[in-house]
Amino acid sequence: MKTSALLIGINNYKRLPLQGCVNDVRAMFEALTERHSIGPGDTYTLLDGQATRAGILQGLQWLAVEGPDVAIVLFSGHGTRVPDLDGDEARGWSGTKYDQAIVPVDYERNGLILDDDLAAVFWTFPRETKLILILDSC
């Protein structure tokens, strides 16, 4: 059984830096490679300045092309929500519809990665791939 992982950790946001996100990625990498025998070549790691919108989407595409039996995505960084523009979200308790988003390091210049963007990439994975998505973000 082949397992591949995309590990993303961002501490160095310009406006609201975080602590611990890069350590989360390092700990997950260690757990996967040392305890679960996943080869370093089966992981794609993006830390701080590497975790741009384009870099994250490229990493997701790499993971899909790998075609693993199990695909793990860890994102440790800021998350947010924005008003739903395409009407595909259910109304929340406030009556407003929102898209959820992860925040790449270059979000101010290149935008967020919406749940719709993630879904579009996830549909490119082989049908048999088990996808494990871990979002450590607010």
Side-chain angles (χ1 to χ4, degrees):
M1 177 181 296
K2 180 178 179 175
T3 301
S4 298
L6 171 62
L7 309 174
I8 307 156
I10 308 170
N11 287 339
N12 293 334
Y13 289 100
K14 289 181 184 178
R15 291 189 184 186
L16 295 169
L18 295 171
Q19 296 178 7
C21 299
V22 170
N23 286 341
D24 290 345
V25 167
R26 289 184 177 138
M28 179 65 86
F29 179 83
E30 181 180 321
L32 292 173
T33 58
E34 293 180 14
R35 296 183 195 143
H36 297 286
S37 302
I38 296 172
D42 293 322
T43 61
Y44 192 102
T45 302
L46 298 169
L47 301 175
D48 288 327
Q50 300 169 322
T52 62
R53 186 177 198 285
I56 293 169
L57 293 174
Q58 180 181 9
L60 289 166
Q61 291 168 353
W62 167 84
L63 193 57
V65 169
E66 283 288 295
D69 299 303
V70 178
I72 301 169
V73 178
L74 167 67
F75 177 84
S76 185
H78 280 303
T80 191
R81 65 182 188 174
V82 295
D84 177 34
L85 298 177
D86 63 1
D88 68 332
E89 302 294 333
R91 292 199 191 287
W93 62 270
S94 66
T96 306
K97 294 182 175 187
Y98 290 101
D99 276 306
Q100 307 305 311
I102 59 174
V103 182
V105 72
D106 64 341
Y107 73 96
E108 291 174 324
R109 184 177 47 238
N110 294 313
L112 302 168
I113 299 177
L114 301 179
D115 53 7
D116 298 337
D117 301 320
L118 294 174
V121 175
F122 294 154
W123 279 110
T124 68
F125 280 71
R127 186 180 188 128
E128 7 352 283
T129 297
K130 179 180 181 178
L131 180 62
I132 300 171
L133 180 62
I134 304 164
L135 301 175
D136 184 359
S137 56
C138 55

